Amino acid sequence: MRLIGYARVSTDQQETDLQLDALRRAGVHRIFQEKGSSVGRRPQLQRALATLQPGDTLVVYKLDRLARSLRNLLDIIERMEAAGAGFRSLTEPIDTASAAGRLMLQMLGAVAEFERSLIRERSTAGQQLARSRGVHCGRPRSLSTDAEATIASSA
């Protein structure tokens, strides 16, 4: 039985050190890591899943490092099960070796998706409130209005 690790942070400014240390303490020797949003392709996750063999366990520090939605999580778990591999989270009581662990995985996945939706709603509401107060959201304009008009008229 091999322990295959996966660590991910959302931006290049963040580090995977905390996750890597925890994975190594758990006995994981092969770790795939990447920096980038969970919305993208996540090539290292795809490589980790492709290496899984019967009896292996994919280990992550925290469930939200693995999937972006419950549907995505279920797809990943289905792929692991097809390979004959299990799943384990270091910070949540999840180990798919048991029926209770599989149930817990699905419940926590649904809760995590709900939490992300609430954060997105609060962020959107905050941006709308800021705009209504005249605050510009996003990066500053790089061209003046006149330069934009010149470019638009020459196109």
Side-chain angles (χ1 to χ4, degrees), residues 19-31:
Q19 296 174 54
L20 296 177
D21 290 347
L23 289 167
R24 287 185 188 112
R25 280 193 308 274
V28 178
H29 297 290
R30 184 156 189 206
I31 302 171

Side-chain angles (χ1 to χ4, degrees), residues 4-66:
I4 306 294
Y6 176 68
R8 181 186 63 79
V9 290
S10 299
T11 69
D12 287 333
Q13 291 75 36
Q14 296 173 321
E15 296 300 328
T16 55
D17 296 341
L18 173 72
Q19 296 174 54
L20 296 177
D21 290 347
L23 289 167
R24 287 185 188 112
R25 280 193 308 274
V28 178
H29 297 290
R30 184 156 189 206
I31 302 171
F32 294 85
Q33 62 176 311
E34 57 197 337
K35 294 183 176 188
S37 169
S38 67
V39 176
R41 281 187 48 244
R42 298 182 293 166
Q44 293 302 310
L45 174 60
Q46 300 311 314
R47 285 185 59 212
L49 294 172
T51 66
L52 293 174
Q53 299 172 1
D56 287 350
T57 300
L58 182 69
V59 183
V60 297
Y61 177 71
K62 191 172 172 120
L63 183 60
D64 68 356
R65 302 294 83 203
L66 181 65

Side-chain angles (χ1 to χ4, degrees), residues 11-130:
T11 69
D12 287 333
Q13 291 75 36
Q14 296 173 321
E15 296 300 328
T16 55
D17 296 341
L18 173 72
Q19 296 174 54
L20 296 177
D21 290 347
L23 289 167
R24 287 185 188 112
R25 280 193 308 274
V28 178
H29 297 290
R30 184 156 189 206
I31 302 171
F32 294 85
Q33 62 176 311
E34 57 197 337
K35 294 183 176 188
S37 169
S38 67
V39 176
R41 281 187 48 244
R42 298 182 293 166
Q44 293 302 310
L45 174 60
Q46 300 311 314
R47 285 185 59 212
L49 294 172
T51 66
L52 293 174
Q53 299 172 1
D56 287 350
T57 300
L58 182 69
V59 183
V60 297
Y61 177 71
K62 191 172 172 120
L63 183 60
D64 68 356
R65 302 294 83 203
L66 181 65
R68 62 181 159 262
S69 68
L70 181 57
R71 178 73 252 158
N72 181 232
L73 174 64
L74 295 174
D75 289 342
I76 292 169
I77 296 302
E78 185 176 306
R79 191 166 163 193
M80 283 187 276
E81 287 177 349
F87 172 76
R88 184 172 147 215
S89 169
L90 298 178
T91 59
E92 293 114 350
I94 301 171
D95 188 338
T96 60
S98 70
R102 289 188 296 277
L103 173 64
M104 183 62 71
L105 174 66
Q106 292 180 17
M107 289 175 19
L108 287 175
V111 169
E113 183 176 356
F114 175 68
E115 181 180 17
R116 280 191 297 276
S117 294
L118 290 178
I119 290 169
R120 192 172 24 254
E121 287 175 8
R122 285 193 301 265
S123 294
T124 301
Q127 289 170 351
Q128 289 174 346
L129 181 62

